[in-house]
């Protein structure tokens, strides 16, 4: 009996240890500050796999973002690394360089640790994290293959001064009472114009078309320069959150299915 009990304890200890290694709180020295992040890596992930950085909203943290976005099961299947960084005072620097340097440091750390594919690094963020995603597009488009803001955009109006055309998928609920929906359409149209996509959007409603009662509508512009596309997923009746509604869309699944198509080296990636 004692031997069986010991084996059970050993089993659960191994499971907990394994889980911590795959979703652990970590830190990176950036300048004079130790920055925190959660790193999730599928078990025995091979080298040369993608990295997705998922940024929390203002007043939130990496644990909250992880619990909302739920990328782990997607990462297990598709074999990519997910990092949830922590903002200083739970906010992001969308006018300076502190958090751009943080993202740079994350990329270097994940390459050192997992030998990620530097041509397939993706950035997504929720609320103020979405604002940071748009801001990063103007600063490090040479390092990020595609961008996916959720419920957030630059409140002063779109800035499309990127070093290259960039693919974007933006997800936003029409009943968002924190970051109003209308600005999302302004933002994606500005990026579609910057990317030389057609000004006439292609609309799929409902989306996906096989779900007759889906709350989602897909607006598509593209392909533009270098084959990039711009997509807006409009979630009717949804508020300021990630959607996991099985009768509508799963935001994270839609984001990954879009991002994975892109690579800095070849425009379109093979996964």
């Amino acid at each position: 009996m004692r031997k069986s009990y010991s084996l059970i304890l050993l089993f659960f200890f191994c499971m907990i240890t394994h889980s911590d290694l795959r979703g652990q709180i970590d830190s990176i020295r950036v300048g004079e500050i130790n920055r925190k992040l959660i790193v999730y890596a599928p078990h025995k992930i091979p080298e040369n796999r993608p990295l997705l950085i998922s940024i929390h909203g203002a007043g939130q943290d990496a644990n909250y973002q992880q619990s909302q976005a739920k990328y782990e099961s997607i990462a297990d299947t598709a074999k990519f690394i997910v990092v949830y960084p922590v903002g200083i005072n739970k906010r992001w620097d969308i006018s300076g360089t502190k958090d751009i340097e943080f993202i740079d440091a994350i990329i270097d750390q994940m390459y050192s640790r997992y030998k990620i594919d530097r041509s397939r690094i993706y950035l997504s963020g929720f609320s103020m994290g979405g604002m940071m995603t748009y801001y990063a597009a103007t600063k490090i488009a040479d390092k990020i293959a595609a961008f996916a803001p959720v419920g957030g955009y630059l409140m002063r109006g779109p800035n499309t001064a990127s070093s290259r055309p960039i693919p974007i998928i933006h997800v936003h609920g029409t009943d968002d009472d924190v970051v109003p929906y209308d600005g999302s359409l302004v933002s994606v149209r500005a990026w579609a114009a910057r990317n030389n996509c057609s000004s006439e959007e292609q609309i799929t409603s409902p989306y996906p078309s096989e779900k007759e009662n889906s709350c989602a509508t897909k607006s598509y512009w593209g392909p533009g320069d270098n084959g990039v596309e711009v997509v807006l997923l409009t979630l009717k009746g949804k508020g300021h959150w990630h959607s996991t509604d099985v009768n509508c869309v799963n935001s994270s699944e839609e984001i990954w299915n879009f991002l994975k198509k892109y690579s800095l080296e070849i425009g379109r990636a093979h996964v």
Side-chain angles (χ1 to χ4, degrees), residues 155-270:
M155 302 299 285
R156 297 178 182 175
N159 174 359
T160 60
S162 62
S163 61
R164 66 178 183 89
I166 60 168
I168 293 178
I169 181 170
H170 184 126
V171 185
H172 215 119
T174 59
D175 288 2
D176 191 324
D177 59 354
V178 178
V179 182
Y181 166 78
D182 289 349
S184 64
L185 192 56
V186 174
S187 293
V188 293
R189 283 177 172 166
W191 278 101
R194 183 264 177 267
N195 292 338
N196 286 324
C197 298
S198 170
S199 60
E200 185 174 345
E201 63 206 71
Q202 300 175 33
I203 297 177
T204 304
S205 183
Y207 175 82
S209 55
E210 64 269 18
K211 289 186 178 181
E212 294 182 359
N213 297 318
S214 174
C215 71
T217 296
K218 177 181 178 181
S219 300
Y220 169 90
W221 294 263
D225 292 347
N226 299 342
V228 304
E229 301 162 313
V230 175
V231 168
L232 172 63
L233 286 183
T234 299
L235 308 184
K236 185 177 181 180
K238 299 296 183 183
H240 196 61
W241 57 75
H242 281 266
S243 172
T244 57
D245 187 350
V246 296
N247 297 313
C248 187
V249 295
N250 182 302
S251 299
S252 296
E253 289 178 356
E254 294 293 331
I255 286 170
W256 174 249
N257 287 335
F258 178 87
L259 297 178
K260 71 181 183 181
K261 298 185 292 183
Y262 292 98
S263 164
L264 289 174
E265 290 184 353
I266 58 175
R268 295 286 185 138
H270 299 286

Side-chain angles (χ1 to χ4, degrees), residues 22-24 37-42 45 50-55 65-66 69-76 79-85 106 110 114 116 256:
R22 297 169 66 202
Q24 60 187 349
L37 60 157
I38 292 175
V39 179
Y40 182 85
I45 187 167
L51 167 66
L52 172 60
I53 302 171
S54 179
I55 307 174
Q65 180 66 9
Q66 185 179 34
K70 294 181 171 65
Y71 278 112
E72 286 68 31
S73 61
I74 304 170
D76 282 340
K79 302 299 182 188
F80 62 91
I81 309 293
V82 188
V83 170
Y84 302 94
I106 290 171
M110 294 304 104
Y114 298 107
I116 59 167
W256 174 249

Side-chain angles (χ1 to χ4, degrees), residues 56-184:
H56 65 74
Q60 299 171 355
D61 59 20
N63 288 305
Y64 183 85
Q65 180 66 9
Q66 185 179 34
S67 71
Q68 292 295 302
K70 294 181 171 65
Y71 278 112
E72 286 68 31
S73 61
I74 304 170
D76 282 340
T77 300
K79 302 299 182 188
F80 62 91
I81 309 293
V82 188
V83 170
Y84 302 94
V86 179
I88 297 173
N89 297 322
K90 298 184 177 182
R91 298 183 64 82
W92 299 101
D93 181 6
I94 55 175
S95 61
T97 62
K98 288 194 299 290
D99 290 320
I100 296 297
E101 291 169 359
F102 186 21
I103 293 171
D104 282 341
I106 290 171
I107 293 170
D108 290 342
Q109 178 80 285
M110 294 304 104
Y111 180 77
S112 176
R113 187 181 300 180
Y114 298 107
K115 294 297 184 290
I116 59 167
D117 182 349
R118 284 185 177 270
S119 73
R120 290 190 288 169
I121 298 169
Y122 309 112
L123 186 64
S124 182
F126 173 69
S127 193
M128 192 179 191
M131 300 174 195
M132 184 65 204
T133 301
Y134 272 120
Y135 180 65
T138 70
K139 299 297 181 182
I140 49 173
D142 60 323
K143 296 181 179 179
I144 308 295
F147 299 78
V150 179
Y153 48 79
L154 296 173
M155 302 299 285
R156 297 178 182 175
N159 174 359
T160 60
S162 62
S163 61
R164 66 178 183 89
I166 60 168
I168 293 178
I169 181 170
H170 184 126
V171 185
H172 215 119
T174 59
D175 288 2
D176 191 324
D177 59 354
V178 178
V179 182
Y181 166 78
D182 289 349
S184 64

